[in-house]
Each structure stands twice: as structure tokens, then as C-alpha cells.
Amino acid sequence: MNFGYFDEQRKEYVITNPKTPTSWVNYLGTSDYCLIISNNASGYSFYKSPKLGRVTRFRFNSIPMDRPGRYVYLKDEKTNDFWSISWQPVGKPLDKFLSICRHGLGYTTFESKYNSITSSLKIFVPVDKPLEIWEVKIKNDSNEKKEFSVFTYTEFCLWNSMLDMMDFQYILYTCRMGYNKEDEIIDYSIKLWSPYEPKAFFTCTNKKIESFDTDRDVFVGPYNSESNPEAIKNGKCFGSIAIGGNPCAATQVKIDLQPGQEEYLVFLLGIGNAYEEGREYKKMFASIDSVEKEFEKVQEYWKERLNKFECKTQDEKMNLMLNIWNQYQCHTTFNWSRSASFIEAGGRDGLGFRDSSQDILGVVHSIPQEVRRRLIELLKAQLSEGYAMHHFQPLTMSQGKHNIPPRERIYSDDHLWLLIAVPAYIKETGDFSILDEIVEYADSGSASVYDHLKQALEFSWNNRGKHGLLLGLAADWNDCINLKDGGESTWSTQLYYKALSEFIELAEYIGKTEDAEKYKAYREEIKKAMDEYTWDGEWFVRGYLASGKKLGSKESEQSKIFLNSQSWAVFSGAFLDEKGKTAMDSVKKYLATEHGCVKNWPAYVDYIIEVGAITSFPPGLKENAAIFCHANTWVIIAEALLGRGEYAFEYYMSFLPANKNEIAEIYTAEPYVYSQFITGKEHPYYFGRARNPWLTGTATWAFTAATQYILGVRPHYKGLIIDPCIPSCWDGFEVERVFRGRKLSIKVSNPDHISKGVKKILVNGKEIVGNLIPVELLDEKNVVEVVMGK
Ligand code: GLC
């Protein structure tokens, strides 16, 4: 069963049945002002930080689902009947109410038809202004004159989201609402310690505001809800001014419509003072033309970002995801890290070190300059000893060093992701100058980026355990495994092996042979430890607990095999051999399902303190034997590196969101973006159900896996590698890509129907040797013909 469809032409996902099993959301806004909006117009807005600058409220995990939001109600003055343009919160019976929600790139629209009235609401955030625009259109399709009151409503949050949820005795007495009568603008300000000035405004730019409310409790009325506000029933707002209490912005505008007539209304909710910025923006967006122009800029912004990569394969859904939604999600995770969603209530403000380091991979081809800035930000959160702050807020970093983690909060992987991220940036851009940039450490001193990378390697070298594998420290990529107090992580060791290899390749390329030799010796030592202590006969163990017991071994009582230590054995480059193959065969045998591979098997059933938080989840959920999508992307890469194109593609398809559209009642989350996990096969009821959509490292890695390893178009310091690994039934595929400012139209043909192997490459008609296209060969525009074969 589906709740909507993909409109490829308009790059939208269209929700035709608003009664979705979970809130299906979109992210709007790209810089300071952002908002999240569901298919029923709910969700919240924030300025700069979802934790410290929360503008509007959302009641997390509430019933009814997803409230409040940004609501526009229409009331027919003759019949007193009223409804909301988005189906909720009034929620008219769906047999009489046509509702369509379109989530597009940087905007969301709602269209409804009820009692011969067609209406729409489009919401977007300008690229460079701290506000959201609500564009409302109402058309009278009946043959009689209609008189309407249009009510709008949004509930303010008291800026600091944590206090807003927890400390009512204080926070509820901080707001001071007002009304700029002359310009008809609601004025919201609160006196509160905050790095920003907590001020916002709300207005209608092109029609007279008949009445308003700024006190939620007055507008909604006791024992009512957003579904039936008192003011709407009353036919007029009460003019309330909240000085303390729960602030809101509610307005009433009146319009008359002759048969066939259409009217539009523009509302603004923004940051600033009602007497200054509010007034200025009201003038700026008084006409629909100015709103449309602003909207075009948003569309241009997204077009610009998405047009650096486009592919045409034999699989429509793969094209749809790679060309539109997967890229859009990559930009969203890059912008928002893991900070704001309907499940991240505000506590994960700022950047997660490992998350954001990975998030750059999916956007570096599109916004290299922004990636460079982000890398420098991340490097500033590294400590002089080499490890990194697990989580930090760049906005408050400079205000003090209080965020520096105590030693028990040092993770074994955070800093090592720099060795993936920085080389990826240089390979894409050719910008080696970043290596010489001097960046301060979070604690003391500064060093070149090149030396920052070396410090990261040194830290891990100095933090190995009894078996010579990396100590797990606070945790590795899997936050929920307890590897403290001397536990060792196979996976972190594999990441270290990869990090060393990346560094060696880089050092050799720039002529730092001594460094290359030094780290080759480290790598050899690490490989020895891996050979000796990580192979378990059919697969690789996940690590060693503090007690010395193996984790994820045939000797383990529960969870005998884990996914990451198999995929990364191969992806790291350490085991591109029979052992790697056998390990991946074990993945197929024990972990693969029709929705993707579970993360460990059999699931932990009991809580085991020694193993840690992973065992607190019931079987099949989250880190305990769910299909953790992020980890599934590495399975694709491993299979591609082994040359097994059928498997790589099968795994890719197994958790591709677009493939879940027709089973949305089972999948339940948005079928246009990746979720963090899909419930695993050992869950008694919900196998196949997805949770925690949008802000997941899956986005960046699914894009990387598909574009660089299945389609095999992979940047290298010297140029672009073409190394596809595809299902042998494919006749070929095409990729349009921008690389270092040059355009390439790559056409791959597969006459012999193989999975891997390139026989011939012609660049602008000239054959090259091997499968690396040197950047010097490239003109501004290039035609690349690739023939696969042995
Ligand atoms: C979440 C975290 C990520 C972690 C993963 C596995 O997605 O954001 O940092 O690696 O869970 O525990």
C-alpha cells in the first residue's frame, strides 16, 4: 500500500493520503533559519541552534501525532464550518476532503479541496533571510459568493528548548508579547540569557489583520486543541497580549470571493523586531511577485547543488534516489548533523564529530568550499593529543574550553574519520593547500592540517590493547557496545588500517616518503594483530571485552557474528582475499534479509552489563540486530571491492527507500529518504518497519557506495577512476558529473555482460591507458566512453 508517489519531473514526493503511519517530513532552510515540517504542516522552526534558538514549539512523542505546527484555517462565514488547508489539525473526513502534500526541494505545499473551495499553502525559507514565508491561495469554485475568515496559528517556543520542556516555573514567565498596531505585526520577545536576541515577528503582508491573539491559552481556549480553537469558533480573535505564559501568533484576515475568484495571502514568521525587521520584511514581501522571486532563488539554490551529479541506470528507483532524494538528504545531514528532527528533541545540538566527518562525503562534489570550512571546524575540535571531542557546538566553542571531554568520553574512532574526510576532500578538489593550513587544537597549540592527521594516527597507535588491536575506549562507531576498561575493537582497528592506508597514499603522493614509510610499519604491525586475533574461522570477531572474552565469535553465547567487522575487513583493504570473501559469505548466510543485513545475529535477548547498552534493546531494534542502514552501505562497498556486482546491487536495493513505497504500511517511515534503521527479522512483530528517518550517516554512505563503488566513478589525487561493479545483466549506464570544475559525460557499455572490469576508455575520442582519467586530460566539457570487459 502506498500513501503517495514520486513526481520525478517536479522533484517532489507527493502525499495523497495524509493519514501516513508516521509524520513524513521535509527540512526547509539552509543557513541560520530552519524548519522541519510534516505532511500535516506540523513541526518547529529554529534560528541557528535547535537547542538555544528554538522559535516555535513542537510536542515530541505526543498524541495526537505531530503537533503543533503552522496552521491556516478557513472559516465559511455563512455556514460557520471551518477546516485547515493541511488536513490536520481540523481533520475533516477524508471522503469529503481532498488533501495533497508535496515535499519538494526546499519547500512544502499543501493543497486541499473542500466544499467547492480550493486552497493551497506553500511554505519555504529564503536562502539568505531569517524567516519563513507562507503563501496561501484560496479559490472559490462554487457558483455563489463566499465570505471567509482566514485564521493562522503558530505556537512560540521559549527559545531555550530544554528549559521550555523542563522548567515551567521559570521559563513561563519570560515572554513579553506585543503588537505593532501601525504595521499590524505581532511582536515576540523574551528576556532570557541566550547567545542571540530572542525576538520574532509574525504578520500578513498584503491584507488587513482583523484580529489577533498572542496568548495561546486564549486563542485555543481551555480543554480545546488546535483542532477547535476558541477564537475560530468565536469568529474573531480576542486581542490577547501574553506577558508571561505561552506565546503564540494567531491572526484573522477576511476575504470575500466571487464565483471563480482566487485570492492570495502572504504571511511571514521571522526573526527580528516587529518595529524594524518585521516592518522591513513586510514591505519587501507585500506582492506575490516578490515572494515568487524569493522562491525562485530557493529553487536555483537546490538546482545548483544537485546538478553536479546525475546518472541514468537501468533502475528507475536508483536514478530517482541518486539524482534527487539521496543527494537532498546528504545536504540535509551536512547542514543539520543530528541536531533536529521529530526524535532529536534538542539535546544533540551542534556537530557530532564522527557523524559530521562522514557527512561531508555525500556533498563534497557539490559544495567543496563549504566542506573545506566544515573540515576546519572539525579540526578545531581535535585535541593536541590526537583524539577529538565527540560532540561540539561550533557556535559556543570559542566561548570556553568547557566542552573538552573527560578521558572516559574519548571514542576510539572520532579522530580517525578525519583520515577519511580530508583525503576525500583533496581527491575531489585537488586542493592540497588545505594540508598546510594551520589550525588550532581544542585544548592548546596549533598545527598544520597534515600534522593534525598524523596526531590522529599517533593517538590510536598509543591506545592499543593487549592483543595489539585498538582500545575501544568510550565506544567505537557502535555507540552501544561496551569496550571500556581495556576492551578492544576489531572495527576501530579496521578503520585505523584504512586511515593508515589513506595517509600513506597521501604522503607518498606529496613526496613525504619518510612519513609514508613510518606509517607503513605501523600498518604492518596492525595487520599482524588482525591476522592473529580477529579471524574466527568463518568471519571476523567484533572485538574483545574488558574481561578478555571475544565479542561476536562462534564462542559467544549470543550475537555470534557482527556485520561491521566483516564489511570493514574488506573495505579497509586488509582482507581483500579469501578470508574477506568467506566473511562476506557469512554475512549473506547469517545476516542478510530481504530488507537488508541485520547488524548482529542472533540478537541479544538478555541484558548483559559487560556487553553494554546494545543489550538493552529488544531483539531487532536499533543496534541490537536491526537492519542498521548506515552499516549496510559498507556491505555494498565490500561486495563491490570483491567484484561481486550482483550482491552489491542486491544489497543496495534491499534497503533503498524508494523500493518501500508500495509497502509503506509496513515500512511506515518516509519512502524518499533513508532511515537510521529498519526493524530486524528477530523482532516478533515489526520486521521491515523503519525508524529515525533523515539524519543518518546512511545518506552520505549510500550515495558514496552507489556512485563510487557500484557505478565506480571515484575521485583520486591524479584524476577520476572508472571502476564499475554492476549486475552483469546491465547493458551499461551513464553518469554526468562535474569534477574539479570540468564536466564529464560518461557512457559505460557492458557488451560482455560482466560485473567488473574495464577494457577500454576513450576520453574525447582518445584512448587512455588503464582506468584512471588524469585530470590534465580534461577539457571544460568531456565525453568519456567506457567499455567494460576482461
Ligand atoms: C547513530 C549515531 C552514530 C553512530 C550510530 C551507531 O547513528 O549518530 O554516531 O555511529 O548511531 O551507534
Side-chain angles (χ1 to χ4, degrees):
M1 169 184 179
N2 67 48
F3 292 83
Y5 64 93
F6 290 89
D7 183 335
E8 200 181 341
Q9 217 59 41
R10 293 168 57 153
K11 299 187 170 38
E12 292 173 336
Y13 186 83
V14 187
I15 298 161
T16 47
N17 177 354
K19 223 171 174 177
T20 49
T22 58
S23 307
W24 288 8
V25 308
N26 195 5
Y27 284 79
L28 313 183
T30 51
S31 58
D32 288 347
Y33 192 95
C34 294
L35 65 89
I36 172 167
I37 184 161
S38 84
N39 56 309
N40 278 305
S42 74
Y44 55 97
S45 313
F46 65 83
Y47 181 58
K48 292 194 179 172
S49 151
K51 186 175 176 182
L52 302 171
R54 188 79 67 82
V55 181
T56 66
R57 258 199 196 132
F58 182 70
R59 274 178 277 287
F60 289 86
N61 197 15
S62 177
I63 42 172
M65 201 162 85
D66 76 9
R67 288 208 190 160
R70 305 156 189 87
Y71 302 134
V72 178
Y73 305 85
L74 306 188
K75 182 173 184 183
D76 185 323
E77 297 286 10
K78 264 188 225 146
T79 61
N80 282 333
D81 192 12
F82 63 89
W83 62 98
S84 32
I85 298 183
S86 48
W87 175 56
Q88 289 290 326
V90 177
K92 286 287 180 191
L94 284 171
D95 55 348
K96 299 202 184 86
F97 188 92
L98 178 87
S99 159
I100 289 176
C101 166
R102 293 174 177 270
H103 284 316
L105 307 182
Y107 65 92
T108 289
T109 63
F110 303 90
E111 295 157 20
S112 73
K113 209 175 175 110
Y114 178 67
N115 275 350
S116 304
I117 303 302
T118 314
S119 57
S120 69
L121 163 65
K122 175 161 83 185
I123 300 192
F124 69 96
V125 176
V127 180
D128 53 2
K129 296 177 186 68
L131 50 93
E132 57 192 90
I133 300 182
W134 308 4
E135 185 191 299
V136 176
K137 286 186 181 154
I138 306 165
K139 186 163 181 246
N140 179 4
D141 286 326
S142 77
N143 41 28
E144 53 184 293
K145 184 185 164 197
K146 297 263 181 188
E147 289 166 27
F148 287 105
S149 270
V150 180
F151 289 90
T152 64
Y153 173 70
T154 190
E155 181 178 340
F156 284 114
C157 180
L158 294 163
W159 213 257
N160 181 319
S161 63
M162 290 299 159
L163 288 178
D164 188 76
M165 277 189 279
M166 291 181 326
D167 194 359
F168 301 141
Q169 64 78 27
Y170 164 64
I171 196 83
L172 279 187
Y173 306 98
T174 56
C175 86
R176 299 161 197 232
M177 299 304 290
Y179 190 65
N180 170 352
K181 278 198 196 115
E182 194 187 325
D183 302 298
E184 299 179 347
I185 307 175
I186 288 176
D187 186 35
Y188 164 58
S189 78
I190 72 172
K191 299 290 173 204
L192 183 73
W193 178 87
S194 158
Y196 330 108
E197 270 283 274
K199 281 193 169 54
F201 63 87
F202 185 89
T203 193
C204 176
T205 68
N206 67 329
K207 290 271 184 263
K208 180 174 160 32
I209 292 181
E210 290 288 330
S211 69
F212 69 89
D213 269 309
T214 71
D215 191 326
R216 177 192 81 178
D217 303 343
V218 175
F219 178 79
V220 174
Y223 300 102
N224 291 339
S225 74
E226 297 90 348
S227 308
N228 56 351
E230 199 60 38
I232 301 182
K233 289 194 281 182
N234 178 52
K236 196 171 171 28
C237 297
F238 300 98
S240 59
I241 300 280
I243 304 291
N246 290 296
C248 75
T251 63
Q252 179 194 23
V253 169
K254 289 192 168 182
I255 54 167
D256 295 347
L257 290 180
Q258 298 296 337
Q261 193 188 344
E262 187 181 52
E263 269 284 12
Y264 74 87
L265 301 160
V266 176
F267 297 92
L268 302 182
L269 167 60
I271 298 300
N273 180 310
Y275 298 86
E276 289 159 29
E277 293 88 350
R279 186 181 276 163
E280 197 183 306
Y281 285 125
K282 180 167 177 153
K283 273 195 213 125
M284 190 182 289
F285 294 113
S287 74
I288 194 99
D289 285 351
S290 55
V291 172
E292 282 309 320
K293 276 204 189 97
E294 203 63 37
F295 183 60
E296 277 165 27
K297 282 194 223 164
V298 175
Q299 290 185 301
E300 221 14 72
Y301 172 98
W302 281 109
K303 199 168 146 202
E304 188 50 33
R305 272 164 164 67
L306 264 53
N307 71 8
K308 306 284 190 304
F309 177 93
E310 199 177 342
C311 66
K312 211 192 275 171
T313 73
Q314 280 173 228
D315 192 280
E316 286 300 327
K317 298 223 172 82
M318 182 180 198
N319 300 341
L320 195 64
M321 289 303 298
L322 287 180
N323 297 338
I324 305 170
W325 289 98
N326 194 177
Q327 290 200 57
Y328 186 56
Q329 190 180 2
C330 285
H331 284 279
T332 307
T333 55
F334 177 80
N335 287 338
W336 298 56
S337 191
R338 307 294 175 270
S339 67
S341 65
F342 276 17
I343 44 160
E344 269 103 1
R348 291 174 94 186
D349 197 34
L351 304 178
F353 198 93
R354 79 154 80 92
D355 297 329
S356 289
S357 303
Q358 294 169 74
D359 289 344
I360 70 120
L361 300 173
V363 296
V364 63
H365 67 285
S366 163
I367 46 167
Q369 287 308 322
E370 286 174 47
V371 164
R372 193 185 207 275
R373 279 195 291 277
R374 173 62 53 79
L375 287 174
I376 302 294
E377 246 171 1
L378 287 163
L379 286 151
K380 283 186 187 160
Q382 191 189 10
L383 289 101
S384 51
E385 205 183 323
Y387 64 93
M389 289 161 64
H390 187 58
H391 199 196
F392 67 104
Q393 170 53 282
L395 289 170
T396 50
M397 267 278 275
S398 56
Q399 292 169 11
K401 309 282 184 197
H402 54 272
N403 279 332
I404 290 170
R407 290 205 79 79
E408 64 274 13
R409 292 273 299 157
I410 300 173
Y411 288 68
S412 54
D413 66 322
D414 282 327
H415 53 287
L416 291 176
W417 288 108
L418 289 173
L419 278 295
I420 307 289
V422 175
Y425 166 76
I426 303 175
K427 286 177 188 174
E428 180 68 50
T429 59
D431 173 20
F432 287 89
S433 76
I434 193 175
L435 294 172
D436 301 324
E437 189 134 332
I438 305 296
V439 180
E440 70 239 41
Y441 286 112
D443 50 349
S444 60
S446 55
S448 67
V449 170
Y450 183 79
D451 285 339
H452 271 256
L453 299 183
K454 276 167 68 173
Q455 266 327 84
L457 295 177
E458 290 302 322
F459 178 80
S460 292
W461 183 250
N462 295 330
N463 281 276
R464 286 170 298 151
K466 278 201 287 276
H467 303 91
L469 305 172
L470 258 59
L471 287 172
L473 306 178
D476 64 18
W477 170 87
N478 188 328
D479 284 322
C480 302
I481 300 180
N482 176 18
L483 295 167
K484 296 183 188 79
D485 305 323
E488 287 163 277
S489 162
T490 302
W491 177 80
S492 288
T493 312
Q494 294 165 339
L495 172 65
Y496 189 45
Y497 186 96
K498 171 89 179 143
L500 286 163
S501 302
E502 285 288 347
F503 189 83
I504 292 162
E505 188 187 17
L506 174 65
E508 278 179 340
Y509 193 78
I510 60 175
K512 303 247 185 196
T513 355
E514 240 173 71
D515 285 339
E517 291 313 311
K518 172 177 171 185
Y519 291 108
K520 270 186 198 163
Y522 280 27
R523 187 172 62 177
E524 233 168 78
E525 189 78 17
I526 287 293
K527 179 70 177 12
K528 261 192 235 152
M530 288 163 113
D531 283 335
E532 200 157 337
Y533 297 112
T534 65
W535 182 242
D536 202 45
E538 247 185 296
W539 58 80
F540 294 90
V541 297
R542 183 63 174 76
Y544 289 86
L545 299 171
S547 62
K549 249 195 229 162
K550 283 183 191 163
L551 182 74
S553 150
K554 54 182 185 294
E555 295 161 22
S556 307
E557 280 157 34
Q558 301 175 55
S559 282
K560 292 172 181 297
I561 169 169
F562 278 73
L563 185 60
N564 280 7
S565 41
Q566 319 319 320
S567 56
W568 273 79
V570 177
F571 182 27
S572 65
F575 295 96
L576 283 161
D577 56 7
E578 273 315 304
K579 276 188 185 158
K581 241 181 226 167
T582 310
M584 291 311 292
D585 288 341
S586 296
V587 166
K588 184 102 207 133
K589 189 160 155 199
Y590 301 109
L591 306 179
T593 79
E594 73 248 45
H595 293 294
C597 300
V598 295
K599 225 173 86 234
N600 48 300
W601 178 87
Y604 288 106
V605 179
D606 309 312
Y607 182 64
I608 311 170
I609 288 187
E610 191 189 9
V611 178
I614 180 175
T615 63
S616 58
F617 301 118
L621 295 180
K622 290 273 292 173
E623 275 86 344
N624 186 17
I627 294 148
F628 216 86
C629 299
H630 189 167
N632 270 261
T633 62
W634 298 322
V635 178
I636 303 167
I637 297 179
E639 289 295 359
L641 288 173
L642 293 175
R644 309 201 291 194
E646 322 292 339
Y647 282 178
F649 188 69
E650 187 186 317
Y651 286 130
Y652 177 70
M653 295 307 270
S654 66
F655 65 103
L656 192 79
N659 277 336
K660 310 297 179 190
N661 198 46
E662 299 309 315
I663 52 160
E665 79 285 8
I666 296 171
Y667 189 70
T668 70
E670 294 91 323
Y672 43 92
V673 290
Y674 288 97
S675 284
Q676 184 198 59
F677 75 92
I678 301 172
T679 305
K681 60 186 174 182
E682 288 183 83
H683 190 283
Y685 310 116
Y686 297 134
F687 177 42
R689 185 185 77 175
R691 280 292 178 270
N692 303 355
W694 280 96
L695 302 183
T696 155
T698 317
T700 207
W701 279 107
F703 187 73
T704 306
T707 58
Q708 299 195 16
Y709 293 87
I710 294 181
L711 304 183
V713 181
R714 199 156 62 233
H716 183 272
Y717 296 118
K718 288 196 189 109
L720 206 54
I721 294 176
I722 313 282
D723 181 26
C725 185
I726 56 175
S728 54
C729 62
W730 280 16
D731 298 324
F733 62 88
E734 288 169 35
V735 168
E736 297 273 331
R737 193 197 198 281
V738 173
F739 179 63
R740 301 192 196 172
R742 284 104 161 157
K743 279 197 179 143
L744 287 92
S745 304
I746 306 166
K747 200 168 177 176
V748 179
S749 60
N750 185 21
D752 300 340
H753 286 278
I754 58 169
S755 275
K756 196 167 173 120
V758 166
K759 190 156 71 181
K760 188 162 144 187
I761 298 185
L762 301 179
V763 179
N764 300 322
K766 281 199 202 107
E767 187 163 353
I768 64 161
V769 183
N771 67 343
L772 192 158
I773 306 172
V775 69
E776 314 80 68
L777 274 194
L778 295 175
D779 297 331
E780 211 175 300
K781 284 190 180 156
N782 305 275
V783 174
V784 179
E785 293 153 83
V786 181
V787 184
M788 292 178 69
K790 296 277 179 223

